[in-house]
Amino acid sequence: MTFAIEYEEFGGPEVLRYREVPAPVAGPDQVVVAARAIGVNPIDAKVRRALRPSGPITVPRRPGADASGVITAVGDGVVGWAIGDEVIVAWGQGTYASEFAVAARLLTPKPANVSFEQGAALGIPVGTAHQALVSLGVSAGETVLVHAGAGAVGQAAVQLARRSGATVIATASERNHERLRELGAVPVAYGDGLADRVRALAPDGVDAALDLIGTDEAIAVSKQLVRDPARIGTIVLGPRAAELGIAAWSGGSPVPLTPEELGLRADAVPLVALLVDQLRFDVEIAEVLPLAEAAEAHRRIETQHVRGKIILVP
């Protein structure tokens, strides 16, 4: 039997339904994956609430983009994949299910030392962080300010920026400062006086800023500290980016990602999977919940400052 989370109207977490669904079939260039772990991303909840445009719901809609699991069927035209292969799925559709069909081009081999939970946590967070940092031109010797560094995208951005040779200053609640230090960032608390606290940590200035929280404070402080507004980017305030004079990638932006930006997001998954396998990149799993409790997972990402990643398991 196949089970999935679906919804038929926009609204709060209560619209999510756990139900039995028909078993998936691998179409041309597709495989079927039996899920072992499923990543919960904030965008899942934003689309569910219609905070991000996604068109009308005409058939039951299934959330989810990231997962990991085992291939159970291979469709016509698929080359290089076989039944039994352990895979990471990134940027798919409808992954909140015990099994699902997905385009083979969205698969990455899961390395042996990467758990299924870690694999399911990679897609959107590491892809977004990698693309944003490359688009901002962050390089060795520079200082980058990451707003909301303790979330899944924030932790990925901190680690990838450090790997590029940059100094990272990351904002977070004080309870998360030790975690940021472990990842190589210099933590700083939110709130009044943030710009002055960052200046004290970066007397030579801040070269770029990445907004992962979307607050007025984050944008105002970034504009005070970064000389070139083209090197301030947001993944949250897309609709306001032109008005604010900063860069934006998704986050409701009316400007679609370019083919180059999409390529950067896809390239990040196998890169980071290899780093995790080599113990050179750390993935923090905040909590693992049953798939049937997807509504509770959504409540938590909407009402709590979740550190790391929530994972669902069938």
Side-chain angles (χ1 to χ4, degrees):
M1 293 184 291
T2 301
F3 292 91
I5 297 294
E6 295 182 334
Y7 60 101
E8 298 176 32
E9 60 182 324
F10 295 114
E14 68 277 1
V15 303
L16 297 176
R17 297 286 183 268
Y18 178 71
R19 54 177 56 145
E20 187 175 354
V21 297
V25 175
D29 302 317
Q30 289 186 326
V31 303
V32 171
V33 173
R36 295 291 185 268
I38 300 150
V40 177
N41 291 295
I43 188 63
D44 302 339
K46 291 175 182 177
V47 172
R48 190 207 70 236
R49 283 193 179 274
L51 299 177
R52 292 286 185 267
S54 62
I57 299 175
T58 57
V59 296
R61 181 175 291 181
R62 190 180 302 169
D66 299 336
S68 64
V70 179
I71 294 177
T72 58
V74 177
D76 292 341
V78 173
V79 177
W81 299 103
I83 292 173
D85 286 349
E86 297 183 347
V87 296
I88 295 168
V89 178
W91 311 96
Q93 291 184 322
T95 61
Y96 282 34
S98 57
E99 55 180 346
F100 52 84
V102 63
R105 61 182 174 80
L106 300 178
L107 303 178
T108 294
K110 186 187 77 63
N113 292 326
V114 176
S115 70
F116 284 111
E117 290 80 6
Q118 289 173 321
L122 297 185
I124 285 180
V126 303
T128 301
H130 176 66
Q131 175 265 307
L133 292 170
V134 173
S135 296
L136 288 172
V138 174
S139 60
E142 293 193 317
T143 297
V144 58
L145 174 61
V146 176
H147 294 281
V153 180
Q155 291 193 30
V158 166
Q159 293 180 82
L160 292 172
R162 290 291 296 133
R163 287 193 59 80
S164 74
T167 296
V168 180
I169 299 172
T171 67
S173 301
E174 290 189 10
R175 67 180 183 276
N176 294 325
H177 283 193
E178 184 55 36
R179 172 61 178 168
L180 290 174
R181 291 188 188 98
E182 292 172 358
L183 299 179
V186 181
V188 61
Y190 302 117
D192 291 344
L194 175 59
D196 290 336
R197 290 194 293 278
V198 175
R199 283 194 187 97
L201 295 170
D204 295 329
V206 174
D207 299 289
L210 177 57
D211 166 45
L212 309 176
I213 192 170
T215 61
D216 290 342
E217 175 188 66
I219 301 303
V221 168
S222 297
K223 293 182 112 178
Q224 287 180 56
L225 299 177
V226 180
R227 287 182 294 274
D228 181 359
R231 300 197 71 190
I232 302 171
T234 181
I235 67 164
V236 185
L237 298 175
R240 295 180 55 201
E243 159 204 341
L244 295 168
I246 62 176
W249 307 285
S250 299
S253 173
V255 180
L257 294 169
T258 67
E260 292 76 16
E261 290 164 346
L262 289 170
L264 287 168
R265 292 191 172 201
D267 291 346
V269 179
L271 166 68
V272 175
L274 180 60
L275 293 174
V276 176
D277 185 56
Q278 298 170 345
L279 303 180
R280 297 162 62 197
F281 188 103
D282 190 63
V283 177
E284 183 174 27
I285 306 300
E287 195 165 11
V288 178
L289 297 173
L291 176 61
E293 296 182 20
E296 178 59 26
H298 277 215
R299 288 188 189 96
R300 295 183 191 187
I301 62 173
E302 289 184 301
T303 61
Q304 303 174 15
H305 294 291
V306 175
R307 194 182 92 182
K309 190 78 168 178
I310 294 180
I311 297 294
L312 300 173
V313 293

